[in-house]
Amino acid sequence: MVGASLAGLSAARSLRRQGFDGRLVVIGDELHRPYDRPPLSKEFLAGTLGEADLALETDDEDLRAQWLLGARATGLDRAERAVRLADGREVRADGIVIATGAVARTLPGSGSLAGVHTLRTLDDARALREELASGGRLVVIGGGFIGAEVASTAHALGLDVTIVEAAPTPLAGPIGAAMGGIVSTLHGDHGVRLLCGVGVKGLRGDERSGTRVSPDGARGRVDAVLLEDGRSISADIVVVGVGARPCVEWLEGSGVELDNGVKCGADGRTSLAGVVAVGDCANWYDPRAGAHRRVEHWTGARERPDAAVATLLAGGAVEPGVPRPPYFWSDQYGVKIQFAGYAAAADSVAIEAGTADDRDVLAVYRRAGVPVAVLGMNQPRLFTRWRKQLAAAGS
Ligand SMILES: Cc1cc2nc3c(=O)[nH]c(=O)nc-3n(C[C@H](O)[C@H](O)[C@H](O)COP(=O)(O)OP(=O)(O)OC[C@H]3O[C@@H](n4cnc5c(N)ncnc54)[C@H](O)[C@@H]3O)c2cc1C
């Protein structure tokens, strides 16, 4: 198992559940045992959950695995079917599960400025939580899930928050611009400034000796976000939430086909026999979409390893089933947003229950009249019913 987080742990559990009794080695480059990431932008950042609450393993769980933590995989030797580690060790295996997830994208040149954060790991969340405690002006670049959740949490902590989003609305990609408009009003209602349709040119750093603008070698502490339209937004803290890229560089030249992550069949098989990939790094073929889709959501990383492990144990001789439509949730300003399916596949969207004004919407996305996705805001029961219908219909 390469990657000791949700998808790697889920695959290890699936292996034992499906009867694998052999040696199991879990390799992870973080020093931590598997922990849950969704609370990092929500309760953990808010200070209402502690680190112990993030553990993904249960106290009495024993997977009889050897854990190599703080160990980075740097290569995969196809002939030996071995994983090479940065410290020179090599782990040979009969089967390999790739579960190396994704890493936060950054803005070019922003890394050397103090006060600029990304949020992917527990260490990132610790650092951001500490800075938010001093209050001040926070600018969030990117109105996707992580940016929007950080904005919501920071606002509740009393910070002055601005979001800058290049798309016309927050979450325009995953839920479409029409419903994204409702999310826009959610931010506005709470006094969070939302600047949409404008890109970021760079960050300004405040050095005692003067002011420099990234990406030209900025140093010092961030003091403003510079927009492409010429405006500059003062900032004490900046969170860059501009998406994530799959951690697959270590597989280059290994024979594992890469294309927006690890290119996989509908059951996680890769281009190499005995090697499967799961979670955020895996670009699975989705028979519903008739295309490959890399899904960066918790539920896929939790559920899909079952099928990938079955494929691995059967030597590839199982027929892949149709996975459930991708699903995610997001918590913002006390509103639970849930979504299943693909918004981009739809040619229409209609609110079927609730009202946008009350933020308790159930909206159904259709293509040629057939439901292909569903969105819920504070509508958990109705949403669950629709989600089941989508899965049953094979949409
Ligand atoms: C702040 C935050 C909030 C989120 N909130 C939600 C939410 O509300 N709802 C939702 O559906 N999803 C949410 N997600 C997404 C969800 O957490 C991910 O989909 C899930 O963590 C993916 O699990 P994974 O195991 O595939 O990848 P990861 O969790 O990224 O784990 C991959 C692991 O592999 C390690 N690794 C990488 N490269 C190597 C290497 N070369 N060698 C060894 N180890 C390596 C990484 O360090 C990491 O520990 C959130 C994510 C974040 C970051």
Side-chain angles (χ1 to χ4, degrees):
M1 219 76 56
V2 190
S5 182
L6 178 63
L9 175 68
S10 303
R13 286 175 173 157
S14 300
L15 273 163
R16 291 305 188 208
R17 222 176 18 243
Q18 293 182 34
F20 176 70
D21 207 23
R23 182 169 169 240
L24 189 58
V25 181
V26 185
I27 300 165
D29 65 355
E30 292 186 75
L31 287 168
H32 311 290
R33 294 290 285 226
Y35 59 87
D36 212 16
R37 291 180 205 273
L40 297 182
S41 48
K42 311 175 183 74
E43 301 91 335
F44 181 80
L45 200 60
T48 54
L49 273 190
E51 292 189 15
D53 303 313
L54 302 179
L56 282 173
E57 295 163 281
T58 54
D59 288 343
D60 56 352
E61 184 163 27
D62 181 12
L63 290 166
R64 289 171 288 123
Q66 182 187 355
W67 293 81
L68 303 183
L69 297 179
R72 189 162 53 85
T74 52
L76 189 154
D77 183 331
R78 143 192 220 163
E80 300 287 332
R81 203 178 285 157
V83 175
R84 278 193 303 277
L85 304 185
D87 61 12
R89 282 180 291 176
E90 216 173 68
V91 182
R92 288 193 186 196
D94 298 310
I96 296 174
V97 178
I98 300 169
T100 43
V103 66
R105 289 184 198 277
T106 53
L107 288 182
S110 64
S112 56
L113 282 174
V116 179
H117 296 258
T118 54
L119 180 55
R120 180 78 198 179
T121 66
L122 174 56
D123 297 342
D124 295 340
R126 281 176 181 158
L128 179 59
R129 187 160 90 162
E130 202 180 309
E131 281 226 273
L132 293 182
S134 354
R137 297 158 302 178
L138 168 71
V139 178
V140 178
I141 302 176
F145 308 111
I146 296 194
E149 289 181 357
V150 168
S152 156
T153 304
H155 170 264
L157 290 172
L159 281 89
D160 173 73
V161 184
T162 304
I163 302 175
V164 181
E165 166 59 58
T169 71
L171 302 184
I175 70 173
M179 294 298 123
I182 304 178
V183 178
S184 295
T185 56
L186 204 53
H187 293 293
D189 286 354
H190 290 83
V192 167
R193 270 181 303 281
L194 177 65
L195 309 177
C196 284
V198 61
V200 167
K201 192 167 69 182
L203 305 179
R204 193 176 65 199
D206 176 19
E207 278 188 281
R208 294 235 159 94
S209 54
T211 297
R212 294 192 186 175
V213 176
S214 71
D216 308 309
R219 292 197 312 276
R221 190 177 172 89
V222 71
D223 80 348
V225 174
L226 308 178
L227 305 187
E228 276 172 349
D229 62 9
R231 280 179 289 174
S232 82
I233 317 292
S234 300
D236 303 303
I237 308 168
V238 170
V239 171
V240 179
V242 295
R245 63 172 172 77
C247 294
V248 293
E249 299 87 346
W250 66 281
L251 291 163
E252 271 161 24
S254 66
V256 171
E257 190 179 351
L258 302 178
D259 175 13
N260 181 25
V262 179
K263 194 168 182 187
C264 296
D267 53 2
R269 75 185 70 196
T270 70
S271 55
L272 287 189
V275 181
V276 295
V278 290
D280 285 13
C281 70
N283 188 10
W284 280 39
Y285 180 74
D286 185 338
R288 292 168 193 272
H292 284 80
R293 295 273 185 263
R294 191 172 63 79
V295 175
E296 288 180 6
H297 304 323
W298 193 96
T299 306
R302 169 78 187 71
E303 291 181 346
R304 290 187 171 183
D306 262 349
V309 160
T311 301
L312 195 63
L313 292 178
V318 283
E319 267 304 302
V322 177
R324 292 205 292 168
Y327 162 76
F328 68 80
W329 79 94
S330 178
D331 300 316
Q332 301 174 23
Y333 309 99
V335 174
K336 174 151 302 283
I337 300 173
Q338 295 173 287
F339 191 87
Y342 295 112
D347 54 30
S348 69
V349 54
I351 293 179
E352 305 268 326
T355 62
D357 286 347
D358 294 335
R359 321 282 183 256
D360 70 348
V361 168
L362 191 288
V364 178
Y365 298 65
R366 292 186 171 81
R367 182 179 187 83
V370 178
V372 290
V374 58
L375 167 76
M377 286 188 187
N378 280 346
Q379 286 276 6
R381 277 211 202 136
L382 210 46
F383 176 85
T384 303
R385 213 180 304 152
W386 268 99
R387 186 181 171 203
K388 281 186 187 150
Q389 277 179 38
L390 273 187
S395 306

